Amino acid sequence: MSAVSSQCPEIGGHVVAKFGGTSVANFDAMNNSADIVLANKAVRVVVLSASAGITNLLVALAAGCDADKRADYLKQIHSIQYAIIDRLHESDTIRQEIDRLLENIKTLAKAASLATSAALTDELVSHGELMSTRLFTELLRQRGKDAEWFDIRKVMYTDESFGRAEPNYEQLQSLATEHLLPQLKNSLIVTQGFIGREENGRTTTLGRGGSDYTAALLGEALGLKRVDIWTDVPGIYTTDPRVVPAAQRIDKIAFDEAAEMATFGAKILHPATLFPAIRCGIPVFVGSSKNPQAGGTLVCDTTEAPPQFRAIALRQKQTLLTLHSLKMLHAQGFLAEIFTILSRHNISVDLITTSEVNVALTLDTTGSTSTNGSLLTNALMTELSTLCRVEVEEDLALVAIIGNQLSQTNGLGKKVFSVLEKFNLRMISHGASNHNLCLLVQGKDAEQIVQTLHQRLFE
Ligand code: ASP
Ligand code: MG
């Protein structure tokens, strides 16, 4: 496992707690989350998502829509946030603040209906987190806690890839040390996940689900002791309990196993979340804000006796590209050319298998942009077709078996494949990592495959 880098600030005794959309969806959910914050004095930084549903509505507005649709979406946003305001005591100041943000949303949505842009989308979408953090700060104050609202854009500088911006870690660390660290001693900071700013001050976002990533980055930059991710499920399971009711909660899991799970679609954590945690060895706890007594999962450096099979992750909506080279056999540089094109189009490849003249690859759509834009643009397809014939297959699913020592184990194939006889396995990827065996299957078969494998490997 990674050694803790000497760049990491000293680990202090504080904790950052992140609450996801369902944990701040309404007044009762916010109150449960406030209970958690108030119960643990070590929690000094709170990172929030937008109230559940808000980001989707803002994304829809940002895509540009007619006046009726716009009015309807704005009304829905208004009613989600006002249902919270209406249950606060003395709500005059917060009402003004939220009204101001709602007015911004209205103006920006109108602008988007005339001409959309990625920068405008991020500006609009950021209002979800701006509102939830205002509301939660007020709720904490009314419950007697000295909470301070903080605009994360003061410290979260990113590049200008709107919709999927990458934070500048060095800048974050020095700005957070300057602007945030001194405040932690005296008060509790409430701030936004998911959003940042580029160099010129325009708002950016880190990709859907990016609040987890924000929390982990802050944990790292401030040298905190732990990152708590509060969501609507009490931890990480051997597979999605909605697909397999017999799935078991994992109490403790190592960073690298959890990173594989997040990457391969276990929807609990944003895939980038664990990188900052791994860099500094900061444990990440995942639990349910509705039911904190139920405990959760601790993701940390090492676990005792890592099991051969840890979990099964499922990712739907995968696209497979099969590229048939137009050049002769033994031609050199085909892969290099393909990957250059893909990288120019900002596409990260997920799985890959090759034969002499063909390459099959799946596209990584996790952490996709806020705009739901398709990765397969016409420009990309045109460029690829100068080099090769391209076949596209959609509606596939990726089933990843996550475990330990998988590429060193005898008999793995028999265990896994003997129960999958009746399914078409479109592509198999195994051997690059000790931690996974990936199967690309038809989307419609995927849940049944997960159920079958779970029964075989875990029950
Ligand atoms: N609110 C954003 C989203 O829905 C970010 C997050 O929740 O982490 O994707
Ligand atoms: Mg999330």
Side-chain angles (χ1 to χ4, degrees), residues 5-112:
S5 125
S6 59
Q7 310 274 310
C8 294
E10 212 172 299
I11 303 282
H14 300 325
V15 169
V16 49
K18 178 261 173 179
F19 295 91
T22 51
S23 304
V24 291
N26 51 47
F27 186 79
D28 293 327
M30 279 202 179
N31 244 332
N32 289 338
S33 300
D35 288 341
I36 291 172
V37 173
L38 296 172
N40 184 357
K41 283 201 172 55
V43 173
R44 282 312 175 82
V45 186
V46 170
V47 171
L48 300 184
S49 293
S51 302
I54 297 276
T55 306
N56 288 346
L57 288 162
L58 292 169
V59 167
L61 284 171
C65 38
D66 63 43
D68 285 351
K69 266 255 144 61
R70 235 161 45 228
D72 175 31
Y73 293 156
L74 286 166
K75 201 169 128 213
Q76 291 185 48
I77 294 172
H78 185 280
S79 75
I80 294 171
Q81 307 290 235
Y82 259 74
I84 300 171
I85 295 184
D86 287 343
R87 291 184 59 192
L88 290 166
H89 325 291
E90 312 146 37
S91 54
D92 283 354
T93 325
I94 184 72
R95 199 181 293 265
Q96 278 173 23
E97 189 55 46
I98 298 297
D99 283 349
R100 187 183 65 78
L101 293 167
L102 289 169
E103 202 51 44
N104 279 353
I105 294 175
K106 195 170 162 186
T107 312
L108 293 165
K110 178 132 195 239

Side-chain angles (χ1 to χ4, degrees), residues 129-294:
E129 273 70 13
L130 294 173
M131 292 191 291
S132 65
T133 47
R134 287 285 183 194
L135 291 164
F136 194 68
T137 308
E138 184 59 29
L139 178 78
L140 284 173
R141 284 187 187 149
Q142 295 193 4
R143 292 190 56 180
K145 185 83 190 173
D146 185 11
E148 200 74 51
W149 184 87
F150 184 83
D151 189 335
I152 196 73
R153 291 170 296 186
K154 278 193 193 147
V155 298
M156 191 65 76
Y157 280 55
T158 70
D159 64 13
E160 47 173 40
S161 325
F162 295 100
R164 201 179 181 168
E166 191 48 45
N168 179 324
Y169 178 65
E170 277 78 35
Q171 247 169 326
L172 171 63
Q173 184 156 26
S174 75
L175 291 168
T177 307
E178 187 182 340
H179 298 295
L180 262 177
L181 207 52
Q183 294 199 43
L184 292 193
K185 292 197 186 77
N186 312 314
S187 52
L188 172 75
I189 305 292
V190 177
T191 195
Q192 308 78 38
F194 177 55
I195 73 175
R197 55 160 284 177
E198 44 81 278
E199 211 175 336
N200 300 311
R202 291 180 299 172
T203 300
T204 55
T205 62
L206 312 185
R208 294 303 304 265
S211 298
D212 299 336
Y213 190 27
T214 306
L217 284 164
L218 285 178
E220 180 187 23
L222 295 166
L224 305 184
K225 165 176 93 168
R226 203 178 59 229
V227 178
D228 289 349
I229 305 281
W230 294 101
T231 168
D232 53 359
V233 282
I236 301 176
Y237 281 68
T238 48
T239 197
D240 185 344
R242 283 166 303 192
V243 177
V244 180
Q248 298 133 27
R249 210 249 312 282
I250 303 167
D251 292 330
K252 216 169 166 197
I253 182 170
F255 283 131
D256 41 13
E257 297 172 279
E260 296 277 342
M261 285 179 76
T263 309
F264 287 113
K267 286 168 213 79
I268 310 277
L269 290 175
H270 182 277
T273 308
L274 291 169
F275 297 130
I278 291 171
R279 283 197 295 261
C280 284
I282 306 173
V284 176
F285 172 82
V286 181
S288 160
S289 64
K290 248 189 284 178
N291 190 8
Q293 297 79 6

